[in-house]
Amino acid sequence: MPADTGFDYVRAADTAHALTLLDTPGAKPIAGGTDLVTLLRSGVDRTPLLVDLAALRGQAVRVEPRPPLGGPGIVLDALARMADVAADGWVRATYPVIAQALELSASPQVRNLGTVAGNLAQRTRCPYFRAEAPTPCAKRSPGSGCAARRGVQRGTAVFTADPDCVATHPSDLAVALAALDAEVLVESRAGERTIPVTEFYRPDAETVLRQGDLVTAVAVPPVAAGSRSAYLKVRERASFEFALVSCAAEVVLDGCVIRSARLAVGGVAGHPWRLTEAESALVGLELGAPAVRSAIDTAFAAADPLPGAVFKVELAARAAVRALRAAGSHR
Amino acid sequence: MSRARTRVDGPAKVAGVARYAADHPGPDLRHLALVTATVPAATISTVDTTAASAAPGVVAVLTHENAPRLAPPVGAPYGGRLPLQDNEVHYDGEPVAVVVADTLDHARAAADLVRVDYEVRAAITDFTAVTDLVVPSPPPRWGPADTNVGTPEPAEVTLARVYTTAARHHSPLEPSATHAEWRDGRLFVRDATQGVFGVRTVLSSVLGLPREDIRVVAEYTGGGFGAKGYVWPHQIIAAMTAVHLGGAVRLVLTRAQSFTSHGYQPPTRQRITVAAHRTGRIAALEHDSVSPTATYGGYVEMAANATRVLYAAPAIRTSHRIAPVNTILPTPMRAPHEGPGAFATESLMDELAHELGVDPLWLRLRNHADVDPTSGLPFAAKDLRACYREGARRFGWERRPLAPRSVRDGHDLVGWGMASAVMATFRFPASARVRLRVDGTVVVEAGCQEIGTGTYTILPQVAADVLGCPADQVTLRLGDTDLPETGMTAGSSTTLSVGSAISAAATTLTAQLAELAGADAVSLTGTTLELDGDPDRVVDLADLFAEHDLVEVTADGSFTPTDTGHSLHSFGAVFAEVAVDEDFGTCRVRRLVAVYNAGRIINPLTARGQMTGGLIWGIGQALLEQSTLDHELGRFVSKDLAGYLVATQADVGELEVAFVGEHDPHSGAIGARGIGELGAVGVAPAIANAVFHATGKRIRSLPITPENLL
Ligand SMILES: Cc1cc2nc3c(=O)[nH]c(=O)nc-3n(C[C@H](O)[C@H](O)[C@H](O)COP(=O)(O)OP(=O)(O)OC[C@H]3O[C@@H](n4cnc5c(N)ncnc54)[C@H](O)[C@@H]3O)c2cc1C
Ligand code: SF4
């Protein structure tokens, strides 16, 4: 632990207490600690005050009627353990994409500690950002440049909207939640707000959270009758590895014709990338038709990858096709 | 005799009571934290330790300005530059200061406060960009840098290819760690090492201490794979600091430091050519390998060694060159030399088979080397043909369609490939002592190491075999320079070398007992000796020892490798089935069948453990392991186990291991040869050949990643 960053540690008694503590400049919440502790230990992240949220843990998954769409949606507790959400019967039956994204994340040990909010707020895996010694990295030290731009690029974004940083966000859960139009519930002393998961991240893979913000829950709206979903993760190691690219797909079919489709791709941008153009182009197509691929390609037209990440454009398009078809044939 | 015996140290390891180098507390124990260079080449202009020295708990901060002076290391392999002796930096991660504090946290915190200013110099880390290649001087047992035998025959088919392998890091579970104590003019060291005697030799020379005043102990070493074979700067730093300050210190490398504080397997670039007749007979082989070394020393990866021995070619020419770069010295890593080299040799054989339209296994049998084709010497107890035969039978090889891309399973393209495995048998001089106590306990003493391979389990079996008693009656004391001297636990040499010494000691012991008992031969059971194989003639140890006024009988034995006029190699055949997802280019190994010919197998359980570990290691080499250097920054990029991928259980399909052949009378006294490294040879080419068979794509660069296969 770097000497100049010794920190205080307080266990919050309840949400109000946590919010008060989090108003301290630089204070950070800690949940499972599976990401934050690593970052603090290596000096990448610093804080004067750690606010432990353990006492705030509520029921992992609550099923809630959510008008106006009709059927019940769910609310995931911010402190819910990844393993508990993945094991929840309602989640498995109604939102298989969430359970699959979690089960393909990290390892059983990490999932037993890691939480929903911590997972969404984890930081990029960019190896330069996480290096044991400072390297040129604007995120770590503003103005120092970006080693990834001319170094190892396979983890970089293919949609690069930020001029300084080409990092991707590593959360699998976020990709699944983005496809489901989930919303993050955030509280601060100034009040409550809801942020769609698709707007929860900036282009540089940081969250939009501000000092004093606390994620309290994630609300997942109900899905239409007949909804099917699946999560697909492409990686070289068969387990315990972040995605090279991934895709969450949710689809409603009429026979084998696509009535509606929602697709989000991971590993290609600073945030889960919804294939919005593709989603409308897919409506009315047969799930198995070759036109599915061209519909999906429309969403990749704007990709501008670095040379070392070019292959991920093709990989992501193929993953989207496969995920969509896997979702369609699920159940 | 070959007997299955489960690990005697298993329960202690599983229960967490086996204590490793950094597990020993001490009342005055101080902790060290290294400050390492963050640039690959520089002159240190200033180093400011003011803040660090004033930080809580700090006892001392040593830099090149105030560290004790050291003498050159002699007598055992040392892989670093002498630490903290000058203001030069030759590689990222080189130690530039060490902080000594009362706790590890204090030491690490203060290490962050040491300010080092560098005058940065131009560095080169890309060995393929080095133009002034150097002819290496390998140790004699690795063979010469270059060989050239025979005259090439005119040939109808010539294939010339370039294969490359990646830089890899050993990444043992236990990072290197050294505990050093200086008391009453004597140095005591507990070290995570593969060679206590090498550590003592190096420390004795650099610190100017007589060897008798240094004791190095390694009761357990938490994996080495070569990382802990040579001695490295951190061990000197720990010992030097203990001597300088007195009392006990502990230095544990961080995981990131484990990527720069000891050697790594160098990447290789291998140009290999085969000329052949349409009949399948090889007319000539050429294999030229280039690999990096450090700017300050020479290490050569003998990748072309495999080509020297594998096939009966009328002409074989090989060469090795090294390219100095700004990294720490590369070092052997499981499996050195033949590991990266067989990828080229055995992939090229597959290419030739495809070119000729013949079965790859047939092509290998067609060119089987009955004698070592480079030295002309006979092999010691080689039965590679049996490996091919048995492996093919177990795998079902005869059902393999010849054409690539013939088998599909859903989204997967399925392919079968095979490769030969070969590993030189390394031997080291070794000595051992066997003691028999009056209560029947046999204690074997040999200063070798247990690095996770099963030494505690199988060496007692060797003694028990000679004495006639059950192995449970024998305990082994190892890992201590106060015990009889042995070599490094490296190069798969321990069972063969130390086992031969133990066998000699036990043989002498039985002879002594026979003489005491007035018999020609004795056999030990419990506390009695059976004389001359006659169950009715039994003496009690208590009576015998009392009669001769003894409390124990002791015998020494040794093993000195001698030239028996044989080429000493272990062999094997590896068969792989892979599935490559056609859309994503991800490759998964469905099954591996491997059959080995490695002399006598003393314990089939530990031997199987070694081979399955080797196969999994090979899967990592083939598909995952790669340490990428950022040449602009001159550093390895992902110095952690999230970025450096080793195989997980999910990456490992079905594994089948078998052994053929028996007693090797030439390599040592116990009929065994080395096996540990052999298991990691041939896996990568078998997988690459299976990938070709699955997809029709020939990948000539390891690891095989999705972007290669899209
Ligand atoms: C080896 C390894 C492999 C992994 N592989 C994957 C993978 O494949 N896929 C994947 O998605 N993830 C992966 N992860 C990441 C892992 O899922 C996250 O570390 C975990 O989900 C973080 O949860 P946590 O509760 O431990 O967060 P913490 O480490 O406690 O916190 C992480 C961040 O979230 C903030 N935070 C926590 N709770 C709140 C809150 N309520 N409100 C606001 N901010 C909050 C913290 O301040 C911190 O910045 C891996 C992690 C490891 C260590
Ligand atoms: S991509 Fe972003 S996180 Fe990575 S080095 Fe560049 S600036 Fe830093």
Side-chain angles (χ1 to χ4, degrees):
Chain A
M1 212 75 65
D4 52 342
T5 58
F7 52 80
D8 292 328
Y9 169 88
V10 180
R11 287 177 195 211
D14 51 31
T15 303
H17 187 208
L19 292 177
T20 311
L21 293 166
L22 286 171
D23 258 354
T24 316
K28 280 182 193 297
I30 181 164
T34 57
D35 194 33
L36 191 51
V37 170
T38 318
L39 292 167
L40 290 172
R41 194 190 287 135
S42 57
V44 176
D45 232 335
R46 282 151 197 254
T47 183
L49 173 63
L50 269 188
V51 180
D52 191 326
L53 305 179
L56 278 57
R57 175 168 290 135
Q59 189 185 333
V61 181
R62 274 185 293 123
V63 182
E64 283 203 347
R66 284 248 308 170
L69 274 172
I74 55 170
V75 175
L76 308 178
D77 188 68
L79 271 297
R81 294 182 188 92
M82 295 163 74
D84 292 341
V85 176
D88 183 86
W90 188 274
V91 170
R92 298 183 80 80
T94 317
Y95 307 95
V97 64
I98 294 179
Q100 291 169 17
L102 288 169
E103 283 178 339
L104 292 169
S105 296
S107 65
Q109 293 91 332
V110 174
R111 296 197 296 269
N112 282 337
L113 275 175
T115 63
V116 166
N119 183 278
L120 296 183
Q122 65 176 299
R123 302 191 74 189
T124 181
R125 301 304 304 187
C126 175
Y128 295 100
F129 172 70
R130 290 192 179 244
E132 85 297 345
T135 61
C137 171
K139 187 186 293 303
R140 195 152 150 191
S141 137
S144 64
C146 170
R149 265 190 192 279
R150 40 124 217 81
V152 175
Q153 298 171 348
R154 66 201 305 266
T156 61
V158 306
F159 296 101
T160 55
D162 188 279
D164 292 328
C165 176
V166 288
T168 51
H169 195 272
S171 166
D172 289 298
L173 177 63
V175 178
L177 294 175
L180 296 171
D181 294 300
E183 293 174 329
V184 183
L185 275 50
V186 179
E187 268 186 56
S188 73
R189 295 231 281 171
E192 254 187 281
R193 61 194 202 280
T194 25
I195 307 170
V197 170
T198 48
E199 291 164 29
F200 188 63
Y201 301 96
R202 307 190 316 220
D204 66 352
E206 297 296 320
T207 69
V208 298
L209 295 176
R210 295 182 298 251
Q211 185 66 54
D213 280 348
L214 182 68
V215 173
T216 54
V218 173
V220 190
V223 286
S227 158
R228 302 158 181 217
S229 64
Y231 191 74
L232 187 139
K233 185 168 176 177
V234 181
R235 50 181 169 182
E236 37 222 304
R237 186 154 77 177
S239 81
F240 208 5
E241 196 193 357
F242 294 91
L244 203 48
V245 302
S246 66
C247 181
E250 191 262 354
V251 63
V252 179
L253 296 178
D254 202 347
C256 25
V257 175
I258 298 169
R259 188 133 57 82
S260 73
R262 291 185 287 178
L263 292 166
V265 175
V268 296
H271 48 82
W273 192 263
R274 272 292 285 266
L275 304 185
T276 322
E277 301 90 330
E279 289 173 13
S280 33
L282 284 166
V283 175
L285 296 182
E286 270 194 32
L287 191 62
V292 163
R293 172 63 203 253
S294 14
I296 281 171
D297 280 342
T298 59
F300 287 94
D304 57 344
L306 294 167
V310 168
F311 76 102
K312 291 207 297 185
V313 178
E314 178 65 26
L315 202 56
R318 292 181 182 184
V321 172
R322 178 89 67 88
L324 182 72
R325 292 192 175 138
S329 49
H330 201 256
R331 288 199 296 190
Chain B
M1 229 190 297
S2 173
R3 225 183 253 118
R5 182 172 195 231
T6 56
R7 290 187 180 237
V8 295
D9 49 350
K13 284 181 175 173
V14 172
V17 297
R19 291 210 283 167
Y20 292 78
D23 292 342
H24 296 266
D28 61 350
L29 182 67
R30 288 155 171 172
H31 298 261
L32 307 189
L34 293 178
V35 180
T36 57
T38 52
V39 293
T43 304
I44 298 171
S45 40
T46 53
V47 44
D48 181 354
T49 59
T50 325
S53 304
V58 171
V59 176
V61 183
L62 299 183
T63 70
H64 69 90
E65 289 171 354
N66 63 348
R69 296 301 100 181
L70 301 166
V74 286
Y78 175 65
R81 295 199 323 123
L82 278 181
L84 311 184
Q85 300 297 294
D86 59 35
N87 60 353
E88 295 296 303
V89 170
H90 283 243
Y91 55 91
D92 170 68
E94 183 167 5
V96 294
V98 62
V99 175
V100 189
D102 56 349
T103 66
L104 181 59
D105 285 344
H106 281 148
R108 293 222 167 129
D112 275 4
L113 300 178
V114 175
R115 281 239 359 240
V116 188
D117 291 322
Y118 301 101
E119 279 162 35
V120 177
R121 281 185 273 112
I124 185 158
T125 51
D126 179 3
F127 80 103
T128 62
V130 174
T131 45
D132 289 336
L133 298 179
V134 178
V135 181
S137 323
R141 65 176 179 277
W142 295 4
D146 298 355
T147 59
N148 192 355
V149 294
T151 323
E153 294 170 1
E156 290 142 317
V157 180
T158 301
L159 302 181
R161 300 286 187 258
V162 173
Y163 289 88
T164 63
T165 61
R168 297 162 72 208
H169 279 91
H170 313 73
S171 308
L173 204 51
E174 176 203 35
S176 292
T178 304
H179 170 120
E181 293 186 27
W182 177 254
R183 299 195 201 282
D184 307 323
R186 283 184 53 97
L187 180 64
F188 174 69
V189 177
R190 292 185 185 279
D191 199 26
T193 178
Q194 294 173 240
V196 289
F197 291 96
V199 175
R200 183 179 68 170
T201 301
V202 169
L203 292 181
S204 157
S205 55
V206 299
L207 299 173
L209 293 171
R211 286 187 197 193
E212 313 80 73
D213 290 346
I214 305 177
R215 181 174 169 213
V216 181
V217 168
E219 217 182 328
Y220 293 102
T221 293
F225 312 110
K228 298 165 182 168
Y230 290 17
V231 183
W232 301 97
H234 67 272
Q235 287 147 303
I236 295 182
I237 291 174
M240 166 176 91
T241 309
V243 174
H244 186 59
L245 300 175
V249 301
R250 178 196 292 165
L251 173 55
V252 183
L253 296 183
T254 64
R255 184 54 71 183
Q257 286 167 355
S258 303
F259 282 77
T260 53
S261 303
H262 50 67
Y264 60 101
Q265 182 170 75
T268 63
R269 187 169 193 281
Q270 308 175 46
R271 178 177 294 282
I272 183 166
T273 306
V274 63
H277 305 285
R278 283 264 161 223
T279 59
R281 237 172 29 79
I282 296 176
L285 280 167
E286 293 184 358
H287 193 161
D288 303 295
S289 176
V290 180
S291 58
T293 187
T295 50
Y296 61 84
Y299 171 80
V300 54
E301 192 69 30
M302 302 290 288
N305 277 7
T307 297
R308 291 177 182 172
V309 295
L310 263 176
Y311 297 106
I316 302 177
R317 191 189 62 69
T318 65
S319 79
H320 298 89
R321 294 294 178 269
I322 50 178
V325 297
N326 291 98
T327 65
I328 197 167
L329 191 71
T331 203
M333 168 169 161
R334 189 190 200 190
H337 316 318
E338 285 91 339
F343 171 58
T345 318
E346 287 299 285
S347 293
L348 188 69
M349 286 299 280
D350 203 66
E351 294 207 47
L352 180 62
H354 184 69
E355 176 70 26
L356 298 175
V358 300
D359 179 81
L361 176 52
W362 178 87
L363 183 68
R364 285 167 172 90
L365 285 164
R366 178 94 174 85
N367 291 285
H368 181 270
D370 295 332
V371 298
D372 182 327
T374 295
S375 68
L377 295 173
F379 287 111
K382 173 181 177 180
D383 203 354
L384 177 57
R385 286 177 200 278
C387 298
Y388 290 142
R389 205 183 317 118
E390 182 62 12
R393 186 188 69 74
R394 287 168 181 254
F395 190 81
W397 183 256
E398 80 285 351
R399 296 195 311 275
R400 176 183 184 266
L402 204 54
R405 293 183 77 86
S406 340
V407 184
R408 188 179 282 278
D409 180 2
H411 295 289
D412 289 337
L413 297 169
V414 179
W416 288 5
M418 60 84 54
S420 316
V422 61
M423 190 73 209
T425 291
F426 293 114
R427 304 175 300 167
F428 292 107
S431 48
R433 185 171 303 128
V434 180
R435 302 169 181 277
L436 173 63
R437 298 194 179 128
V438 69
D439 63 1
T441 323
V442 180
V443 180
V444 174
E445 297 175 339
C448 56
Q449 296 67 221
E450 158 59 45
I451 62 170
T453 54
T455 309
Y456 276 117
T457 309
I458 76 165
L459 289 182
Q461 291 183 266
V462 172
D465 266 3
V466 177
L467 298 172
C469 65
D472 291 342
Q473 204 171 326
V474 183
T475 50
L476 175 67
R477 291 186 55 211
L478 55 62
D480 189 339
T481 51
D482 279 356
L483 298 175
E485 183 158 355
T486 74
M488 252 188 239
T489 300
S492 316
S493 63
T494 294
T495 300
L496 163 58
S497 307
V498 184
S500 293
I502 290 172
S503 168
T507 305
T508 305
L509 185 80
T510 41
Q512 287 174 6
L513 292 170
E515 198 182 319
L516 293 174
D520 291 327
V522 295
S523 173
L524 176 71
T525 333
T527 57
T528 59
L529 288 178
E530 182 185 294
L531 308 185
D532 296 325
D534 180 351
D536 294 333
R537 290 182 56 211
V538 172
V539 296
D540 217 65
L541 287 180
D543 298 339
L544 185 70
F545 281 33
E547 183 187 327
H548 296 276
D549 204 15
L550 294 166
V551 282
E552 65 172 20
V553 182
T554 303
D556 289 336
S558 65
F559 170 67
T560 311
T562 50
D563 186 357
T564 63
H566 288 83
S567 174
L568 306 182
H569 287 83
S570 289
F571 293 93
V574 184
F575 296 79
E577 176 176 324
V578 303
V580 178
D581 189 301
E582 199 182 5
D583 290 336
F584 306 142
T586 43
C587 176
R588 303 285 182 246
V589 176
R590 289 189 171 182
R591 59 191 181 109
L592 292 175
V593 171
V595 179
Y596 298 104
N597 166 223
R600 176 185 158 216
I601 298 305
I602 291 164
N603 179 340
L605 282 182
T606 49
R608 187 179 184 284
Q610 280 292 288
M611 299 338 264
T612 46
L615 292 172
I616 294 167
W617 205 253
I619 292 173
Q621 179 194 21
L623 301 175
L624 299 167
E625 289 183 49
Q626 164 171 41
S627 266
T628 310
L629 275 159
D630 183 314
H631 298 308
E632 196 157 314
L633 300 177
R635 53 167 280 142
F636 287 107
V637 175
S638 293
K639 298 178 189 172
D640 58 49
L641 296 178
Y644 184 81
L645 303 181
V646 299
T648 64
Q649 202 50 250
D651 295 287
V652 181
E654 199 181 304
L655 303 181
E656 190 175 334
V657 171
F659 295 93
V660 296
E662 260 304 316
H663 203 88
D664 171 353
H666 308 290
S667 297
I670 56 171
R673 281 197 300 264
I675 62 166
E677 323 243 37
L678 178 67
V681 183
V683 187
I687 289 172
N689 296 340
V691 166
F692 173 77
H693 188 239
T695 64
K697 288 198 181 108
R698 178 66 63 185
I699 309 299
R700 300 191 182 91
S701 175
L702 293 183
I704 300 168
T705 57
E707 49 264 63
N708 301 142
L709 289 173
L710 273 188

